[in-house]
Amino acid sequence: MNAIRLYFTATVAFLVVAIGGRVTSSMNNTVRVRKCCPVDRMYDPEARFCRLVGTDVDEYEQRLMNRLRRGFRVEAYETLKIYHDVQLYCIDGEEVLIDVPAEEMPGLMEAHPSPIVLPSGYCFDLTPSDKLVARTCRPRIQYCGRGKYTCVNKCCDNGDIMVYDPNLGNLDCNKSEMQLKWSAYETDAGGSPPGLSNNTVLPYWDGFSCSAFNMIDNRFKLTTDGNLILTNEGVKWIIPETEYCLDYYAKDGTLEAAELNAVLCYSNAKPPVSFNFWVKTLSVVCLVLTLIVYATLPYLRNTHGYYVMFYMACQLVYLVCIMIYSLVHDDVNSPLCILFGYFMLFATLTTCCWLNVICFDIYWMLRYNNSTNRNTSKLVRTIMYHIYCWGFSSICVSTGYLFQHSQHKKLLNLAPDIGEYRCFFSGIHDYGTLIFYWLPSCGMLIANLILFLLTAIHCSRIKSELNKFRRTESKIEIFLVYKARFVMSMKLFLVFGVPFLFSMLCELFRIEGIIQLIIDSIHNLQGVFIFIIFVAKFKIIMDLRKKCRRSIVHSELRPLNNISRSS
């Protein structure tokens, strides 16, 4: 009897230990599976992008767990836990994150039938077509340039994007879960990108450093061979894969507003000389010739001609700066970079100011031409004009410089950022560009337009008065002189203001192609138009011929006079 009791006790104890061990074993056998996308998103292999689930998240996660259980034959008593707190990234620059081909999935599942040894280094997810997909890191030498794959160097480490830190005033890389949506273009025989390709873009991080670089926004196209095609003023510029990196850039720190940017290294990649460069060269030559003509003929150097010469000189300096900037790379480490950028801004503003002075002076002379002391009035106006042109431009430039080197966060956000990423304005839509470039330029152009309308109204009023009342030759002559100057100023406004306005619209709305090339060409031909307006006249050409003949005769007579004196 005692033996039976002992046997029964031993059996119960064995069952308790076995069942308890089985429960403990099932509690310890928790299999962790990494999800490729966040909990409320599914992976789209065609776009290589995590898109919203669109259905019940819990139901979607349950479907994913059922697919994993069936595929890897996870037992019912085993706990399958899906985690998505850390996305899968390739740390080594020699590897790229790829989608495991569908034909490899059965072999992957058969090679890892036990839930305890579920494949590490993989993440899993469901596609919009409800298929199981896996992603992993593999050597990029097996994929880059082969088949339907295009590899691109990422500027920041995997999982990071470029962010501008206003407190430190520099560019940094911050963590972000932004998905990379990059596309590659096919190239034709001439190297032009006619359309999108079916290539899969694989980003990798292998480090990127160079002494001089420039940031370009999304005005480029990535080709299937890994190069960038950038149109530089109508000329195609091919940038090799070793001279750039791509990444998203959040300038104001807002990660949601980040845009794709390219960082170009100018150590070997030089921008080509464009068609507009030669157009600017022609304009510079014409402006120099116009200034020489004004310096040669004394009657052109009246008060109005004096203002026109200052305008042409500022326009000449502005064009020369633009030409130098198009040839020299943006070496932001150079101490001359910031100085050159602010000098370009100063030349731009002074050009607009002197055109503003010409328009205002014509209106003032027609409106208030009965001054008692004209010489004093002209002298005072000329001094005020100089104070306005040089003072206003200097105030704008110095204010921008103080904003850029301020310790106040709000002032830093309004700074022009000249010399930070480029030697001129770093962006078209920034607050600094709006305050220190767009507002002054557009404001002066609008003021010129208003002055022209007022001057035209006053001209018509004077003409009607001359027709009604007694007409004297002196009044008619003065009216015709001012009318001719008004027409000439109107031509100057049309030459400078209208193309400048359309160029700004092209930059604001990012108009590219043949339209941008035509508008930029017209804008850069200002020197040619000024030469035609002021020099290409029959009277001026004849006066120049007489001046040249007199100088030649004078040079021939000088030796004869010297001989006669010695005799």
Side-chain angles (χ1 to χ4, degrees), residues 543-556:
D543 291 341
L544 285 174
R545 289 182 61 183
K546 292 177 182 179
K547 190 77 173 178
C548 292
R549 287 177 182 177
R550 288 174 185 173
S551 61
I552 293 172
V553 171
H554 183 71
S555 61
E556 291 177 351

Side-chain angles (χ1 to χ4, degrees), residues 346-523:
F346 183 81
T348 305
L349 294 178
T350 50
T351 304
C352 295
C353 284
W354 278 110
L355 182 60
N356 201 210
V357 162
I358 293 171
C359 301
F360 177 79
D361 188 70
I362 292 296
Y363 169 74
W364 182 269
M365 292 300 295
L366 275 172
R367 186 69 178 84
Y368 306 100
N369 59 352
N370 295 321
S371 178
T372 56
N373 194 342
R374 289 189 177 181
N375 292 329
T376 305
S377 178
K378 288 180 181 179
L379 179 61
V380 171
R381 286 204 319 274
T382 302
I383 294 173
M384 295 300 294
Y385 292 158
H386 278 285
I387 294 175
Y388 164 68
C389 291
W390 309 117
F392 177 78
S393 303
S394 301
I395 290 173
C396 287
V397 170
S398 58
T399 305
Y401 184 83
L402 292 176
F403 277 24
Q404 190 164 335
H405 294 82
S406 173
Q407 301 299 324
H408 200 276
K409 185 176 180 181
K410 291 184 177 179
L411 295 181
L412 282 174
N413 292 332
L414 302 177
D417 291 336
I418 293 177
E420 290 291 331
Y421 311 109
R422 298 174 61 187
C423 293
F424 202 44
F425 290 101
S426 60
I428 301 300
H429 302 83
D430 299 337
Y431 291 117
T433 311
L434 175 66
I435 295 173
F436 296 99
Y437 185 70
W438 296 119
L439 286 181
S441 304
C442 294
M444 283 184 279
L445 289 178
I446 294 172
N448 291 341
L449 184 59
I450 295 173
L451 288 170
F452 280 133
L453 293 175
L454 295 175
T455 307
I457 293 172
H458 197 68
C459 278
S460 62
R461 186 180 302 168
I462 293 175
K463 188 175 180 181
S464 63
E465 290 177 356
L466 289 175
N467 292 330
K468 287 180 181 179
F469 302 102
R470 185 177 178 182
R471 304 172 60 178
T472 60
E473 292 183 1
S474 60
K475 288 184 178 180
I476 294 174
E477 185 177 353
I478 293 173
F479 172 73
L480 292 177
V481 169
Y482 290 153
K483 182 180 178 182
R485 291 180 181 178
F486 168 68
V487 173
M488 191 172 294
S489 301
M490 178 66 78
K491 292 179 181 178
L492 267 181
F493 174 75
L494 294 175
V495 166
F496 177 80
V498 176
F500 186 77
L501 179 62
F502 278 103
S503 296
M504 289 192 295
L505 292 176
C506 284
E507 293 182 1
L508 285 173
F509 296 102
R510 296 179 178 177
I511 300 174
E512 299 179 358
I514 190 65
I515 298 176
Q516 182 189 19
L517 180 62
I518 293 173
I519 293 175
D520 288 342
S521 299
I522 295 173
H523 177 62

Side-chain angles (χ1 to χ4, degrees), residues 337-353:
C337 181
I338 296 179
L339 179 63
F340 182 77
Y342 280 105
F343 184 75
M344 282 181 64
L345 176 61
F346 183 81
T348 305
L349 294 178
T350 50
T351 304
C352 295
C353 284

Side-chain angles (χ1 to χ4, degrees), residues 13-302:
F14 175 78
L15 291 175
V16 170
V17 171
I19 295 173
R22 183 69 175 267
V23 172
T24 304
S25 176
S26 65
M27 292 177 63
N28 292 333
N29 290 343
T30 300
V31 182
R32 291 171 59 86
V33 180
R34 187 198 299 266
K35 190 176 183 298
C36 297
C37 294
V39 60
D40 59 339
R41 296 177 181 270
M42 63 173 61
Y43 181 70
D44 186 354
E46 295 183 359
R48 291 178 59 85
F49 178 70
C50 292
R51 60 177 69 252
L52 291 173
V53 172
T55 58
D56 186 16
V57 176
D58 295 333
E59 187 268 336
Y60 163 76
E61 188 170 351
Q62 187 63 42
R63 282 191 289 120
L64 175 61
M65 293 178 64
N66 294 336
R67 291 297 180 88
L68 291 171
R69 283 186 178 277
R70 290 199 302 268
F72 290 98
R73 298 192 291 278
V74 179
E75 299 294 338
Y77 61 83
E78 301 289 346
T79 303
L80 186 64
K81 185 175 182 181
I82 298 176
Y83 68 99
H84 45 74
D85 51 347
V86 180
Q87 295 188 21
L88 179 62
Y89 297 114
C90 301
I91 302 176
D92 189 3
E94 298 299 323
E95 293 183 336
V96 288
L97 184 62
I98 61 103
D99 298 342
V100 177
E103 57 270 15
E104 294 185 17
M105 287 296 293
L108 179 66
M109 294 175 180
E110 292 176 2
H112 302 83
S114 174
I116 301 177
V117 289
L118 205 65
S120 60
Y122 286 78
C123 69
F124 300 89
D125 219 313
L126 285 180
T127 66
S129 58
D130 208 35
K131 293 182 179 179
L132 187 65
V133 65
R135 307 185 77 193
T136 187
C137 294
R138 290 184 180 176
R140 62 185 174 95
I141 194 173
Q142 300 178 2
Y143 295 88
C144 296
R146 299 185 179 184
K148 292 291 184 179
Y149 296 100
T150 300
C151 295
V152 176
N153 189 13
K154 198 174 180 293
C155 298
C156 293
D157 197 356
N158 293 313
D160 294 353
I161 66 171
M162 297 185 295
V163 177
Y164 177 74
D165 190 350
N167 296 323
L168 300 177
N170 59 2
L171 196 66
D172 200 2
C173 293
N174 287 358
K175 289 292 182 182
S176 173
E177 295 184 356
M178 179 171 288
Q179 300 294 324
L180 305 179
K181 297 180 289 185
W182 300 349
S183 302
Y185 285 77
E186 296 281 358
T187 53
D188 54 18
S192 300
L196 284 170
S197 68
N198 294 324
N199 276 28
T200 301
V201 179
L202 302 177
Y204 65 92
W205 183 74
D206 198 21
F208 185 79
S209 62
C210 57
S211 59
F213 66 90
N214 185 17
M215 291 188 66
I216 305 294
D217 56 13
N218 53 3
R219 292 173 295 172
F220 55 82
K221 292 182 179 179
L222 175 67
T223 61
T224 54
D225 53 3
N227 297 330
L228 284 186
I229 293 183
L230 177 65
T231 303
N232 182 36
E233 295 183 350
V235 179
K236 184 176 60 179
W237 180 16
I238 299 178
I239 305 166
E241 56 183 345
T242 56
E243 300 297 333
Y244 76 92
C245 66
L246 285 182
D247 216 320
Y248 286 95
Y249 171 53
K251 178 170 174 43
D252 57 355
T254 306
L255 302 182
E256 291 78 9
E259 295 182 352
L260 185 62
N261 275 246
V263 178
L264 308 185
C265 186
Y266 278 140
S267 58
N268 296 318
K270 301 291 183 180
V273 177
S274 63
F275 169 75
N276 275 327
F277 178 83
W278 303 112
V279 173
K280 294 170 188 173
T281 304
L282 181 60
S283 287
V284 167
V285 173
C286 290
L287 282 174
V288 172
L289 292 176
T290 307
L291 287 172
I292 291 174
V293 171
Y294 265 71
T296 304
L297 300 178
Y299 67 86
L300 291 177
R301 296 194 300 273
N302 53 22

